[in-house]
Amino acid sequence: MNNLFTELENQNKQIPLAETLRPKTIEEFLGQSNVISQNSPLLNLLKTNRLFSLILWGTPGCGKTTLARLIATKTNAQFIEMSAVTSGVKDIKEAVETAKMSLRSGIKTILFIDEIHRYSKTQQDALLPHIENGTLFLIGSTTENPSFQVIPALLSRVQVIRLNSIDDESMIQIIKKGFAYLAKNYLPMDCESGVIDFIINLSRGDARCALNIVENAYFASDLSENRRNLTVDIIEKICQKRNTRYSIDEHYDHASAFQKSLRGSDADAAIYYLAKMIAAGEDPRFIARRLIVTASEDVGNADTNALNVAMNAYKAVELLGFPEGRIPLAQAVIYVARAPKSNETVCAVDAALQDIESGKDYPPPMHLRDSHYKDAKKYGFGEGYVYSHSAPEVYQQFLPDELKDRKYL
């Protein structure tokens, strides 16, 4: 009975075009020539039928899930797919048992976890022993930087592969493939000049978004003499706005321009780049983090309140979300841009780090070392230290002997 219901469900599903046209082979996979190309390390590994655990990091619609499925197909591995949003430790345990059963038949298992950055530390910990002993191979996908969202123990057991937003040339091929499929399976179509470029601008390197626009625009287009007539105007009306051009390169370019405008005390330019990032759908937390960095790096102690303002803007954005969050962000941007500037803080810590990295990593003087344990005095630790509050006039050397005259400020 369950099989009958499942079959009926599948028959009545309206499968999105993006799913229908998902690449079935590695050769069809577009837009990631840095990862999948002739003689690329990943492709060479797959040719040897070698599996390894990895995390695919990239923007939405860049092919993370598709690549994971293709790796499983290429290596004849069992593919278990789950989402970090709806799964937990119980599901991981069930996947492990399935993987163990498959190993008895000589079949390896890939456990694919979408949005793995949403897993808690406990959930990520549950994966460790099974990756370590080879019971299964993990492929995680994330839109967030794994260095911040994935626990170190898991990161040490996987390779992180960065996927780019789909480049324009690949997007053209994907969009044309979508139109060709629809024209073949439904009605032929005429496409106004500029439609493909407009879809590229709207989707910003997101293949799934592009194919969704293609599908919706096709069925919403004018019908004349059994032909579809697709125009830019139709797409604009469906999407309801002109999205700002903002690929992965623009992401970094605008963040850079934003920070440099703040540093250069140009509040008007900083507000413009803030608006550009908001209009492009940038994560407001990313904008707020850039603001916090600038408040500390470029304003620093010239106006210590700048860091407080930036931190409060971050909290306000998390509380309010958009569109209201744009207001405290703009308030903080103007404040930081107009604040007096000093880079003393970043210069000081970087100079000290450079000394340490160049080999000047000396221990503290004996009188400054911890003396709060039984045998400390036996080694001379803490001997001669003067409590500064009791005798502020007494000179003490705090830097190591080798750096006693070094100035970082």
Side-chain angles (χ1 to χ4, degrees):
M1 185 66 71
N2 285 338
N3 289 337
L4 176 61
F5 287 148
T6 302
E7 186 176 339
L8 288 171
E9 288 171 5
N10 290 333
Q11 287 176 359
N12 292 315
K13 277 182 181 177
Q14 181 181 306
I15 300 174
L17 182 63
E19 182 63 29
T20 301
L21 297 184
R22 194 185 289 273
K24 304 296 189 294
T25 66
I26 288 286
E27 290 70 29
E28 295 176 11
F29 188 66
L30 296 173
Q32 301 298 340
S33 58
N34 61 315
V35 175
I36 296 293
S37 61
Q38 189 174 6
N39 291 324
S40 67
L42 178 59
L43 190 56
N44 287 339
L45 273 169
L46 296 179
K47 287 177 181 176
T48 63
N49 211 34
R50 295 287 298 178
L51 278 174
F52 60 98
S53 293
L54 64 149
I55 288 179
L56 301 172
W57 171 29
T59 54
C62 69
K64 300 184 292 295
T65 302
T66 298
L67 181 55
R69 292 178 182 177
L70 292 177
I71 289 173
T73 301
K74 188 76 174 177
T75 55
N76 297 313
Q78 176 179 223
F79 191 74
I80 300 175
E81 184 172 348
M82 60 178 67
S83 169
V85 177
T86 57
S87 65
V89 174
K90 179 177 178 291
D91 302 283
I92 294 172
K93 289 180 178 178
E94 290 176 358
V96 168
E97 291 306 312
T98 302
K100 287 178 179 178
M101 292 290 292
S102 297
L103 280 173
R104 296 168 192 172
S105 304
I107 299 172
K108 298 173 184 176
T109 297
I110 291 175
L111 173 61
F112 175 71
I113 301 177
D114 191 23
E115 299 191 82
I116 194 170
H117 60 275
R118 294 181 181 271
Y119 262 180
S120 67
K121 181 181 183 300
T122 301
Q123 290 168 321
Q124 293 184 42
D125 280 336
L127 295 165
L128 300 179
H130 313 297
I131 298 171
E132 187 76 29
N133 63 26
T135 299
L136 52 75
F137 296 88
L138 170 71
I139 300 182
S141 74
T142 177
T143 55
E144 303 289 334
N145 189 333
S147 298
F148 303 127
Q149 304 294 338
V150 178
I151 61 172
L154 183 53
L155 278 179
S156 72
R157 290 165 171 80
V158 301
Q159 297 292 320
V160 175
I161 295 179
R162 178 74 185 273
L163 301 185
N164 298 323
S165 294
I166 308 296
D167 61 271
D168 287 357
E169 287 301 315
S170 297
M171 288 292 284
I172 290 171
Q173 294 182 59
I174 291 168
I175 292 167
K176 285 183 175 179
K177 186 177 180 180
F179 282 135
Y181 176 87
L182 293 170
K184 178 181 177 181
N185 288 275
Y186 298 96
L187 291 174
M189 60 176 291
D190 295 316
C191 194
E192 182 183 57
S193 174
V195 162
I196 291 178
D197 286 340
F198 192 64
I199 294 174
I200 290 173
N201 286 343
L202 285 172
S203 53
R204 305 194 304 271
D206 182 335
R208 185 189 302 108
C209 175
L211 288 173
N212 286 341
I213 294 172
V214 165
E215 183 175 20
N216 293 333
Y218 174 85
F219 288 106
S221 60
D222 296 331
L223 184 59
S224 175
E225 297 180 357
N226 287 324
R227 293 183 70 87
R228 294 283 183 183
N229 182 28
L230 185 57
T231 65
V232 170
D233 183 61
I234 288 170
I235 299 173
E236 276 192 307
K237 288 176 180 176
I238 289 176
C239 297
Q240 295 187 337
K241 70 170 187 175
R242 291 177 174 268
N243 280 21
T244 307
R245 170 78 181 198
Y246 202 77
S247 69
I248 193 68
D249 289 333
E250 277 87 11
H251 162 81
Y252 291 112
D253 288 343
H254 283 78
S256 175
F258 175 63
Q259 222 167 325
K260 287 169 182 172
S261 299
L262 290 167
R263 180 181 299 142
S265 299
D266 191 329
D268 294 291
I271 283 290
Y272 172 77
Y273 292 119
L274 169 67
K276 188 83 177 286
M277 290 189 287
I278 290 172
E282 185 64 82
D283 184 345
R285 295 170 299 178
F286 170 80
I287 301 172
R289 287 195 295 269
R290 292 299 90 205
L291 191 59
I292 291 168
V293 170
T294 305
S296 190
E297 178 182 351
D298 298 303
V299 177
N301 291 328
D303 182 350
T304 54
N305 194 46
L307 183 57
N308 292 329
V309 171
M311 288 296 296
N312 285 329
Y314 185 96
K315 293 174 184 176
V317 164
E318 283 200 319
L319 178 67
L320 295 173
F322 274 167
E324 289 85 355
R326 76 192 190 284
I327 303 168
L329 265 182
Q331 178 186 355
V333 164
I334 294 168
Y335 187 97
V336 171
R338 289 177 173 173
K341 303 297 189 293
S342 169
N343 68 344
E344 179 184 53
T345 303
V346 67
C347 289
V349 70
D350 284 353
L353 284 169
Q354 188 174 358
D355 277 352
I356 293 166
E357 289 167 4
S358 65
K360 299 175 182 178
D361 53 344
Y362 307 116
M366 296 291 284
H367 66 284
L368 298 183
R369 299 190 192 184
D370 183 21
S371 61
H372 292 88
Y373 59 98
K374 183 178 178 181
D375 293 329
K377 289 186 178 180
K378 181 178 16 176
Y379 303 115
F381 293 173
E383 187 176 336
Y385 172 67
V386 178
Y387 187 55
S388 296
H389 291 290
S390 299
E393 73 284 354
V394 175
Y395 168 79
Q396 294 186 88
Q397 178 186 313
F398 292 98
L399 278 168
D401 290 341
E402 297 85 351
L403 296 172
K404 63 180 182 180
D405 297 321
R406 182 73 164 96
K407 298 294 183 187
Y408 293 109
L409 303 178

